Amino acid sequence: MDPQAVDESTLPAGDLRSVEGNFKALWESARRASEVIVGLRQERQALQALVARLERELQQIRSESIQLRKQTAEHLQEGGIDFAGGERDLLAAKVKELIAKLDAYL
């Protein structure tokens, strides 16, 4: 016989109901805790995916920024930057876009 087992015949009916009630309450608490844990795991996975996506975007922006800096340095070494009107506007828009993205991450 299991020493931990409870002989139900020795418990009064009220105590048996109390034990069953306590067990049911404990079981329900464990079930709710399990649901919360599952939800938190799903949320963590979603957040990790978001972080990975944001890190990729940040790396891309950093690469673009480095490339633009190199191009600017090359143009300056060649004697200055001489853009046609449209090219200048495109470059200005690109720089503003990069600055906006960097500001959003910071």
Side-chain angles (χ1 to χ4, degrees), residues 37-91:
I37 289 169
V38 168
L40 289 172
R41 285 181 179 159
Q42 291 172 346
E43 184 179 353
R44 186 187 81 208
Q45 288 175 345
L47 289 172
Q48 285 175 332
L50 176 62
V51 165
R53 182 180 62 83
L54 291 174
E55 285 176 344
R56 284 190 306 271
E57 287 180 16
L58 181 59
Q59 184 59 36
Q60 180 182 0
I61 289 170
R62 285 180 176 161
S63 297
E64 290 175 6
S65 175
I66 289 170
Q67 183 180 4
L68 285 173
R69 285 181 186 170
K70 286 180 182 178
Q71 288 175 355
T72 303
E74 289 172 3
H75 287 296
L76 287 174
Q77 287 178 350
E78 293 173 357
I81 300 176
D82 187 25
F83 290 109
E87 290 177 352
R88 183 179 183 97
D89 294 339
L90 287 174
L91 180 61

Side-chain angles (χ1 to χ4, degrees), residues 20-48:
E20 286 177 358
N22 288 337
F23 180 73
K24 286 179 182 179
L26 179 63
W27 184 260
E28 184 61 26
S29 294
R31 186 188 63 76
R32 285 192 309 265
S34 173
E35 290 173 353
V36 169
I37 289 169
V38 168
L40 289 172
R41 285 181 179 159
Q42 291 172 346
E43 184 179 353
R44 186 187 81 208
Q45 288 175 345
L47 289 172
Q48 285 175 332

